[in-house]
């Protein structure tokens, strides 16, 4: 003989309400737990490091990625582009990237190419004058708004600042400093991470 337990109809509403309340508490608790694993607003504002695949970047080509809301250029320089840096050494204001190195150039990029690997320039594409974004002027030779002995580089259309192919600002220009080289490192021969190096995140 089977015995079925009957629930008093007067108590059935109380049971449903109790279960429902427990469910709400459970859901709200789960929400609190999940939120603790999400990045804080401060972390989101700071911006996480960005990984970039450079395997398809051909010599002479540049790719722009976004990090912390800023454009970051990765330029794969040709041998001719690298050779041009010798020619501009005497024309740029800070050839050795000695001004404010902590702010503008990581120690491992204080060299003529301003790079870990000379072939690749990694720089924030924002003029150090008033924050405009310079345009690429890689073709050498006379051009409008550029000198006749132009060796290739970047031109800021806002106030005329010019930078060579290492992001070094030319003398007597409104921009006071070279383009910023962000902290970065190579994960492999074909992958770069922007905003992080062996010392940690920027």
């Amino acid at each position: 003989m089977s015995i079925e337990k009957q629930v008093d109809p007067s108590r059935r509403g109380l049971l449903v309400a109790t279960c429902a309340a427990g469910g709400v508490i459970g859901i709200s608790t789960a929400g609190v737990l999940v939120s603790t694993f999400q990045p804080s607003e401060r972390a989101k504002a700071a911006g996480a490091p960005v990984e970039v695949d450079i395997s398809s970047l051909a010599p002479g080509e540049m790719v722009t990625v976004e990090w912390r809301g800023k454009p970051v250029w990765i330029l794969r320089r040709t041998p001719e582009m690298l050779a041009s840096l010798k020619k501009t050494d005497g024309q740029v204001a800070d050839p050795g990237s000695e001004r404010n190195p902590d702010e503008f150039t990581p120690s491992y990029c204080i060299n003529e190419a301003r790079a870990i690997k000379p072939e690749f320039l990694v720089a924030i594409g924002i003029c150090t004058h008033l924050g405009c974004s310079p345009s690429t002027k890689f073709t050498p030779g006379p051009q409008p708004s550029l000198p006749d002995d132009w060796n290739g580089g970047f031109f800021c259309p806002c106030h005329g600042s010019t930078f060579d192919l290492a992001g070094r600002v030319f003398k007597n220009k409104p921009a006071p400093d070279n383009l910023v080289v962000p902290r970065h490192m190579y994960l492999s021969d074909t992958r770069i991470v922007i905003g992080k190096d062996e010392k940690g995140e920027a």
Side-chain angles (χ1 to χ4, degrees):
M1 181 176 70
S2 64
I3 300 174
E4 292 185 3
K5 187 173 181 180
Q6 299 291 327
V7 178
D8 184 346
S10 65
R11 300 182 61 190
R12 185 167 302 183
L14 178 61
L15 180 63
V16 171
T18 303
C19 291
V24 169
I25 293 170
I27 291 171
S28 65
T29 303
V32 170
L33 292 176
V34 169
S35 68
T36 61
F37 293 103
Q38 296 175 349
S40 67
E41 290 304 315
R42 183 177 178 182
K44 289 178 185 177
V50 176
E51 289 187 25
V52 187
D53 183 355
I54 57 171
S55 60
S56 61
L57 198 61
E61 290 184 347
M62 186 178 85
V63 64
T64 300
V65 298
E66 184 179 340
W67 173 66
R68 293 187 175 178
K70 300 174 183 177
V72 176
W73 297 335
I74 302 174
L75 169 63
R76 185 174 182 183
R77 293 175 286 205
T78 64
E80 293 77 18
M81 286 176 158
L82 284 170
S84 76
L85 300 181
K86 294 282 186 192
K87 301 175 185 177
T88 56
D89 273 344
Q91 301 174 352
V92 295
D94 184 18
S97 299
E98 296 171 352
R99 295 183 187 170
N100 305 311
D102 293 337
E103 185 178 354
F104 293 97
T105 313
S107 59
Y108 45 81
C109 291
I110 296 181
N111 50 57
E112 187 176 62
R114 300 186 77 219
I116 298 172
K117 296 183 179 182
E119 188 177 3
F120 292 98
L121 170 68
V122 179
I124 294 178
I126 296 177
C127 182
T128 53
H129 180 217
L130 293 176
C132 296
S133 186
S135 55
T136 56
K137 297 289 182 180
F138 295 159
T139 304
Q143 299 167 58
S145 303
L146 294 171
D148 290 346
D149 62 347
W150 181 247
N151 286 286
F154 307 93
F155 171 72
C156 184
C158 292
H159 302 97
S161 293
T162 48
F163 304 84
D164 72 359
L165 289 164
R168 301 180 299 181
V169 67
F170 281 82
K171 295 176 181 177
N172 303 315
K173 296 295 179 179
D177 293 288
N178 297 336
L179 296 179
V180 175
V181 173
R183 285 169 59 177
H184 63 283
M185 61 187 287
Y186 286 81
L187 301 177
S188 68
D189 288 339
T190 60
R191 293 195 74 80
I192 295 177
V193 60
I194 311 296
K196 181 179 180 180
D197 57 19
E198 284 80 0
K199 296 179 181 180
E201 294 186 16

